[in-house]
Amino acid sequence: MTAMTSKIGVAARSSPGLWALAWRRLRADRIAMAALAVVAAFLLMLLLSAAGLVAGDWEDEVAVNYAPPSFIGADAGTRALAAAQLPRETPPNAFDPLAAELAELKAQVRATHPPREKALTLPFGADKWGHDVIKKTIKGGETSIVVGLVAALVAVTLGTLFGALSGFYGGIVDDLFNWFYSIFTSIPSILMILTVAAVLQQKGVMTIVLILGLTGWTGPYRLMRAEYIKHKAREYVMAADAIGASSLRRMFSHILPNVSHVALVQMSILVVGFIKAEVILSFLGFGVPVGTVSWGSMLNEAQNELILGKWWQLAAAASAMALLVTAFSLFADALRDALDPKLK
């Protein structure tokens, strides 16, 4: 009776899992939570931009060319440029047989689409086409973040798959993947990226994703191979083998959930590197095509504007990229520490 009472009185408690402990450590880290809030804000901005709720009209020419930021104010040159860009009435040519028809057509166009006076200043200025730099930065962030996330997902997926096969089977399979890995790591990463870009000879977001994903799998592969070599000899995997579990089931149903935190940390690290790589590719002309804006294309345009003293597009793109990369790096470092069972 006493034993039964003690069993009833003692509440059944289950020990927290790896992810629960990691989330507990993350919540105790203020810097990690602040970095997570910044990353979440950028992801929310990406979703709103993709849905057209934010920066959907970034291509509208709402200001004069190179309109300065509002905190600087418009100078005499900006006012003269705005006056020169205003539509002017031209007298009809008496010798032109189509002058009357053209005048009537222009009048109809002005009636349906009245000319809008362009702004002299914007909150953070305008580019050479009169586009709002803030909206352009938001739209460019959509491209850069999507490239970073999708390319990191491709690289981690390939690295996990190759590492699982190599570490679990060993032997000739391991030798084959190690030979393939040695080829990729023997060539400098930026040279490998430029080589693949030159071979594809095609610009576009999906091209950049393929370039970065196909060249960035080596880091996840090395770590996942070591994890699979370590885990395949443990008791729970040997027990699964004893009850008749197949090799694929042991690899992806038993071992993978126990090493998934390594892949997650690698993905968060690769996102940072791939965002910077996209900027470099677009800056060198191998990135997004004409008509698609990204932080790299903005920096490419800004190098010519900087000579004219127009620094705001460079500052906007560089500041947004630096803020996201810093926040992602801090969060990835905190996540790696939180998922390490050796740290208390």
Side-chain angles (χ1 to χ4, degrees):
M1 184 68 179
T2 306
M4 184 181 297
T5 305
S6 62
K7 289 181 180 179
I8 296 176
V10 176
R13 295 181 180 179
S14 59
S15 59
L18 175 65
W19 297 106
L21 292 174
W23 176 243
R24 188 181 301 174
R25 295 190 188 102
L26 280 177
R27 284 189 301 175
D29 191 343
R30 295 182 178 180
I31 297 179
M33 296 307 295
L36 179 60
V38 173
V39 173
F42 272 93
L43 294 178
L44 177 61
M45 178 194 70
L46 183 151
L47 295 176
L48 294 176
S49 175
L53 301 177
V54 175
D57 56 346
W58 72 272
E59 290 184 293
D60 293 348
E61 299 179 8
V62 296
V64 298
N65 301 347
Y66 299 122
S70 300
F71 53 85
I72 295 180
D75 54 7
T78 304
R79 298 181 188 278
L81 182 61
Q85 291 181 358
L86 289 176
R88 297 180 180 180
E89 292 290 339
T90 57
N93 189 354
F95 300 99
D96 189 356
L98 300 177
E101 288 79 1
L102 289 176
E104 182 179 358
L105 182 60
K106 290 180 180 180
Q108 292 177 359
V109 171
R110 284 194 298 269
T112 56
H113 299 84
R116 182 175 59 178
E117 185 176 355
K118 296 182 179 181
L120 298 178
T121 62
L122 289 175
F124 211 83
D127 62 1
K128 63 180 179 180
W129 308 110
H131 303 152
D132 192 340
V133 167
I134 293 181
K135 294 182 179 180
K136 191 174 181 180
T137 303
I138 294 174
K139 195 65 179 179
E142 176 189 341
T143 304
S144 297
I145 295 173
V146 166
V147 167
L149 290 175
V150 179
L153 180 61
V154 172
V156 171
T157 301
L158 290 177
T160 301
L161 178 60
F162 294 164
L165 295 173
S166 178
F168 187 83
Y169 287 110
I172 189 171
V173 176
D174 188 28
D175 294 338
L176 178 62
F177 280 110
N178 280 332
W179 172 77
F180 200 44
Y181 167 81
S182 300
I183 292 176
F184 270 77
T185 54
S186 63
I187 303 174
S189 58
I190 187 64
L191 183 58
M192 175 67 73
I193 290 173
L194 294 178
T195 302
V196 176
V199 169
L200 292 178
Q201 287 292 328
Q202 187 176 4
K203 294 183 178 181
V205 175
M206 290 307 300
T207 302
I208 302 177
V209 168
L210 290 176
I211 292 172
L212 298 178
L214 294 176
T215 57
W217 58 270
T218 53
Y221 162 79
R222 178 174 52 85
L223 294 176
M224 296 302 291
R225 173 181 174 272
E227 291 293 326
Y228 268 83
I229 292 175
K230 179 174 64 177
H231 279 264
K232 73 176 182 179
R234 291 191 171 178
E235 289 79 3
Y236 73 96
V237 180
M238 297 175 66
D241 185 22
I243 63 176
S246 63
S247 298
L248 292 178
R249 185 174 181 83
R250 277 178 283 157
M251 278 194 295
F252 299 111
S253 296
H254 293 84
I255 299 179
L256 183 59
N258 290 284
V259 299
S260 58
H261 61 281
V262 178
L264 182 61
V265 172
Q266 279 297 298
M267 183 171 178
S268 61
I269 294 174
L270 286 177
V271 168
V272 176
F274 287 164
I275 288 177
K276 295 188 289 186
E278 184 276 326
V279 171
I280 294 174
L281 284 175
S282 298
F283 183 78
L284 295 176
F286 291 98
V288 295
V290 177
T292 303
V293 63
S294 70
W295 288 339
S297 63
M298 290 179 65
L299 294 177
N300 193 11
E301 293 179 11
Q303 63 177 338
N304 297 324
E305 298 176 357
L306 195 61
I307 301 176
L308 304 175
K310 318 298 183 182
W311 50 267
W312 35 89
Q313 183 170 200
L314 173 66
S319 300
M321 185 186 69
L323 180 61
L324 177 62
V325 168
T326 302
F328 230 122
S329 298
L330 291 174
F331 176 70
D333 186 63
L335 182 62
R336 180 174 50 203
D337 293 341
L339 291 172
D340 190 351
K342 298 179 183 179
L343 296 178
K344 296 183 179 180

